[in-house]
Amino acid sequence: MKILVFIKQVPDTEDVKLDPRTGNLQREGVKSILNPLDANAIECAMQLKARYGATVVAISMGPPQADAVLKKALALGCDESCLLSDRAFGGADTLATSYTLAKAAEKIGDYDLLLFGRHATDGDTAQTGPATAAWLGIPQITLATSLDVRDGWVVCTREIEDRIETVRAKLPTAVTVCDTINEPEYPTPKNIMKALKKPRYVWNAADLGADTRLTGIPGSPSSTKTVFEPPKGNTDTRYFEGSPAEIAVQFVDMLEREHAL
Amino acid sequence: MLMRFTEEQLMIRDMVREFTEKEVAPRDKWMDENGFDRALYDRLCTTGLTGVHFPEEYGGAGCDAVTSTIVIHELSKGSASLALALDISWVASDMILHHGTQTQKDKYLPLAAEGKIFAFGLTEASAGSDAARIQTTAVKDADGWWVLNGGKSWITNSGVADYYILMAITDRSKGAKGISAFIVPKETEGLIIGKHEEKMGMRGSSTCELSFDAMRLPPDALLSSEGMGFKIAMQGLDGGRISVAAISCGLAEHAFELAKAYANERITFGKPIAKHQAIQFKFADMATDLTAMQMMTYNAAEVKASGKRHTLEAAEAKLFCSTRCTQICLECLQIHGGNGYSKEFDVERFVRDSKLLEIGEGTSEILRMVIGGTVLGK
Ligand SMILES: Cc1cc2nc3c(=O)[nH]c(=O)nc-3n(C[C@H](O)[C@H](O)[C@H](O)COP(=O)(O)OP(=O)(O)OC[C@H]3O[C@@H](n4cnc5c(N)ncnc54)[C@H](O)[C@@H]3O)c2cc1C
């Protein structure tokens, strides 16, 4: 089985603040980390590898510094890494990003399973995984809370608001995983010592045979106009008084008045 | 600090840092109140860190002494007690790595790498600094087995260890050269775990007395050869002292960070206390010390990693770092004012933890004797 895990370098959101004047993310001096949910995707691949045997390739699109997350992926047990790096990839939205990732998947070929974190903590769109599947014309399963592979099918559970559904799709399939799917492990010293000796590829647009009208800014129909913090302090707080039963009645009355029930 | 760590060392450092922040630091206060945390130690074993410096053929990661120093240094930023437990386990198991027969290495090193706990027993009630004056005896019986009688005091990891390396006299007429080292599994008959010490600090590490009541050991329990025990112990302590220096760095840095946050928050006379020069100067002195401490620690580790004798560098690093660590912890307590004197604030615990670093694995006085003797003898 060949598993491709797509990972992204993101600013450590615990450190990130918005510049109140410009509305932009203040990235200065902020640590870059592996998108936390991508660690779940890697762990998922490692569990499949331990169970069934697999070659796991970690792929990231980003500037040369993004190699740091690929090194971490190798230290976590991935077998190979591919950094997709080219000025022509810069400024990409999710459409252009997913096109580029799909080109990398095509170049690697013979893939059975594509794994993504449910979303990246910086952009928070949750679109890149599904869009990559669309470019490749393969099935997709989003928000997986468990995953297994049986007889050429991938079987996942998905937790939707009011139910848990079990779905399956024939390989190759792309799956985006939730953080509840597993508990990511730390890289072990043994794997760290092996990490940098594994095959590590760096590919640009030409290597991928990518159409640069579809990558980076030219390939991105969407762009960010402004980023702002949701206004605070305008929440409507109401206090009810009385016994628990009286409070419950007042509360239900209010919900009815507000057409919430 | 300009330390030229390899990329792998930096990755291991980041990994230990993450593990320490998430899983070790939150347990340190609990350990202070309740003692050794078996579940946390088991977790440490699953990370693979316990085997970081053992050769790959024994299940380790094959890293050098600089890397194992990084591990101890980073762990001690979350818990000096846990770092001490690992330090001592390595001191003891490294004796097998450096002096064991091939059979002993094949048997014990994979266990050490996977995290079985080792303890090192030299000190006795009447022989601490003057370690060559130990009284425990090992006598060969008719079957060639060793029979040990006597006892040990202040043995870190005792009670929780799987294996003990114990020093006993095999030939009293030869003084230090009549001391031999033995490998003793915990379930050995005649090995009695005695009083658990109610320590001032480092309470997350277990420390007990041991006694040996006609404890019989097979011939292959002897480590290296007869009479090598004292040498093995002293060489082991050379390595351990680098770890104690690293614990001093980690603990002092942790205290420094807490004091820094406090000083920036606490307002007196209309401004954060960090803006008062008297407080600023404390930070200046502490920061300067910390840089020197780290450099001495990693310098000693690098000498060890290069395979050279490191008795002097290790002794100097431990002497300087442990002394400065205690002073830094005290200053950080002072910066916390009355709060620093409360158990609600971590610096109170750090002050108690730090003092051990000036005593265990060679007191500051004994280290001065080692250093003085070496530099004057040159
Ligand atoms: C928490 C803890 C953990 C320990 N863990 C271990 C362990 O795992 N294994 C082990 O074998 N031991 C262990 N020890 C023992 C430790 O190594 C000894 O306590 C230490 O070596 C000092 O010995 P002592 O306590 O007998 O003090 P003493 O030797 O009685 O010394 C008392 C004082 O006199 C000073 N002094 C002694 N001789 C001289 C001299 N010639 N010149 C000047 N000053 C001198 C000492 O520096 C000290 O200040 C541990 C101790 C503690 C507190």
Side-chain angles (χ1 to χ4, degrees):
Chain A
M1 182 161 50
K2 190 186 277 182
I3 304 174
L4 312 184
V5 189
F6 295 87
I7 62 176
K8 185 180 186 186
Q9 190 176 46
V10 297
D12 192 344
T13 37
E14 281 176 25
D15 284 359
V16 172
K17 289 182 189 73
L18 285 185
D19 186 320
R21 280 176 306 118
T22 62
N24 288 329
L25 291 179
Q26 290 178 330
R27 294 196 185 219
E28 203 96 321
V30 174
K31 252 194 325 189
S32 291
I33 57 166
L34 171 67
N35 177 39
L37 281 117
D38 297 349
N40 296 101
I42 294 173
E43 176 65 23
C44 196
M46 287 308 117
Q47 291 181 5
L48 290 173
K49 179 175 165 176
R51 230 177 295 151
Y52 307 114
T55 306
V56 183
V57 186
I59 302 163
S60 186
M61 186 187 91
Q65 309 85 278
D67 200 30
V69 294
L70 288 170
K71 285 179 194 161
K72 181 155 189 194
L74 294 171
L76 284 164
C78 293
D79 302 292
E80 295 175 16
S81 75
C82 307
L83 176 65
L84 316 178
S85 202
D86 195 316
R87 283 190 179 280
F89 299 157
D93 68 0
T94 52
L95 187 68
T97 301
S98 56
Y99 168 74
T100 311
L101 300 182
K103 292 305 281 183
E106 275 172 8
K107 182 175 167 78
I108 295 165
D110 293 336
Y111 48 80
D112 297 290
L113 188 61
L114 275 59
L115 292 175
F116 296 83
R118 177 209 142 125
H119 66 241
T121 51
D122 56 350
D124 233 340
T125 68
Q127 291 169 355
T128 304
T132 306
W135 282 106
L136 293 168
I138 60 171
Q140 53 172 284
I141 298 173
T142 56
L143 309 178
T145 50
S146 78
L147 183 157
D148 200 2
V149 171
R150 277 177 228 137
D151 312 319
W153 293 77
V154 56
V155 184
C156 296
T157 55
R158 312 174 70 227
E159 268 167 46
I160 328 291
E161 267 162 47
D162 57 345
R163 73 208 115 103
I164 297 172
E165 59 181 31
T166 304
V167 291
R168 61 172 199 163
K170 219 171 175 60
L171 297 176
T173 286
V175 180
T176 75
V177 303
C178 292
D179 62 349
T180 50
I181 195 167
N182 53 38
E183 193 60 51
E185 269 303 330
Y186 302 95
T188 63
K190 263 193 229 179
N191 275 336
I192 289 174
M193 295 309 284
K194 285 187 213 139
L196 304 179
K197 297 180 191 112
K198 293 174 180 172
R200 293 158 63 201
Y201 304 101
V202 182
W203 290 332
N204 60 23
D207 295 326
L208 295 182
D211 180 345
T212 49
R213 285 168 303 179
L214 298 177
T215 65
I217 294 171
S220 300
S222 66
S223 62
T224 308
K225 270 213 172 120
T226 52
V227 179
F228 58 90
E229 261 180 295
K232 277 187 203 128
N234 62 351
T235 45
D236 181 7
T237 310
R238 290 179 225 179
Y239 296 93
F240 301 113
E241 282 175 17
S243 69
E246 286 161 3
I247 290 175
V249 170
Q250 294 174 50
F251 182 58
V252 172
D253 282 350
M254 183 204 73
L255 292 179
E256 272 173 357
R257 266 199 317 276
E258 311 269 324
H259 306 292
L261 276 184
Chain B
M1 188 185 47
L2 186 70
M3 277 301 309
R4 264 171 295 160
F5 292 135
T6 64
E7 228 177 320
E8 285 89 350
Q9 285 167 343
L10 291 174
M11 287 167 87
I12 290 175
R13 186 193 66 184
D14 290 348
M15 175 257 156
V16 191
R17 239 176 227 182
E18 195 185 336
F19 172 68
T20 301
E21 269 170 31
K22 280 195 195 150
E23 303 192 36
V24 179
R27 297 297 290 162
D28 197 44
K29 188 176 163 63
W30 183 93
M31 287 192 273
D32 186 48
E33 288 159 2
N34 300 282
F36 180 75
D37 184 353
R38 169 60 73 175
L40 178 63
Y41 203 91
D42 287 348
R43 186 75 189 102
L44 175 70
C45 300
T46 61
T47 63
L49 286 171
T50 48
V52 74
H53 69 289
F54 291 102
E56 284 164 73
E57 64 258 42
Y58 302 117
C63 299
D64 67 359
V66 174
T67 316
S68 52
T69 303
I70 290 174
V71 173
I72 296 283
H73 180 191
E74 294 298 329
L75 281 177
S76 58
K77 291 182 193 172
S79 171
S81 293
L82 180 70
L84 179 71
L86 180 61
D87 153 37
I88 289 291
S89 192
W90 281 348
V91 165
S93 51
D94 283 4
M95 291 174 181
I96 302 176
L97 176 65
H98 298 305
H99 305 279
T101 61
Q102 195 55 49
T103 319
Q104 287 168 337
K105 289 190 205 180
D106 290 341
K107 180 170 176 192
Y108 295 107
L109 295 183
L111 297 168
E114 78 182 32
K116 288 276 177 291
I117 303 177
F118 284 67
F120 159 60
L122 175 64
T123 306
E124 298 181 359
S126 58
S129 301
D130 193 4
R133 296 263 320 265
I134 58 170
Q135 301 299 319
T136 297
T137 54
V139 179
K140 218 183 245 176
D141 71 8
D143 308 326
W145 282 52
W146 295 97
V147 182
L148 271 71
N149 281 291
K152 297 285 169 188
S153 305
W154 293 107
I155 307 309
T156 301
N157 289 344
S158 50
V160 301
D162 301 287
Y163 300 97
Y164 294 81
I165 309 282
L166 300 175
M167 304 295 157
I169 300 171
T170 44
D171 185 346
R172 201 179 286 278
S173 68
K174 289 190 179 149
K177 292 203 169 106
I179 295 174
S180 303
F182 297 90
I183 309 171
V184 184
K186 66 167 190 231
E187 53 280 346
T188 306
E189 211 175 309
L191 171 63
I192 300 155
I193 313 286
K195 182 186 81 179
H196 179 267
E197 299 292 348
E198 274 301 333
K199 300 191 295 294
M200 166 183 176
M202 294 290 190
R203 296 174 59 86
S205 70
S206 172
T207 319
C208 303
E209 288 182 343
L210 298 174
S211 52
F212 321 121
D213 179 16
M215 180 171 75
R216 282 187 89 234
L217 304 172
D220 63 2
L222 179 70
L223 181 57
S224 183
S225 47
E226 264 181 71
M228 286 294 288
F230 197 70
K231 198 173 163 204
I232 292 173
M234 292 304 123
Q235 278 185 17
L237 288 173
D238 284 347
R241 284 167 188 165
I242 301 176
S243 291
V244 175
I247 297 173
S248 308
C249 291
L251 181 59
E253 284 165 59
H254 195 179
F256 182 94
E257 288 306 321
L258 296 183
K260 188 170 133 186
Y262 191 85
N264 280 319
E265 249 169 41
R266 174 74 180 172
I267 310 252
T268 67
F269 300 93
K271 52 185 173 184
I273 57 170
K275 294 266 190 276
H276 299 304
Q277 197 179 50
I279 300 291
Q280 260 180 20
F281 278 17
K282 286 188 200 295
F283 281 98
D285 289 342
M286 292 193 293
T288 307
D289 276 340
L290 281 173
T291 305
M293 288 159 69
Q294 292 158 358
M295 304 216 76
M296 289 185 81
T297 302
Y298 283 105
N299 176 59
E302 218 157 280
V303 176
K304 183 178 178 203
S306 72
K308 293 200 198 97
R309 181 157 182 198
H310 46 277
T311 307
L312 179 63
E313 291 82 358
E316 288 176 349
K318 182 187 181 280
L319 171 63
F320 183 78
C321 296
S322 62
T323 315
R324 298 322 305 157
C325 176
T326 309
Q327 292 313 310
I328 288 173
C329 290
L330 279 167
E331 279 294 44
C332 290
L333 186 153
Q334 186 72 13
I335 290 163
H336 278 72
N339 282 334
Y341 202 63
S342 159
K343 280 194 188 294
E344 262 180 55
F345 286 76
D346 293 325
V347 279
E348 178 270 343
R349 179 171 77 251
F350 296 172
V351 167
R352 289 186 284 111
D353 286 348
S354 66
K355 191 62 195 169
L356 180 269
L357 303 167
E358 295 181 73
I359 299 170
E361 303 191 46
T363 63
S364 292
E365 290 76 12
I366 294 302
L367 293 173
R368 284 192 171 88
M369 287 166 57
V370 171
I371 298 164
T374 310
V375 297
L376 289 171
K378 262 184 187 166

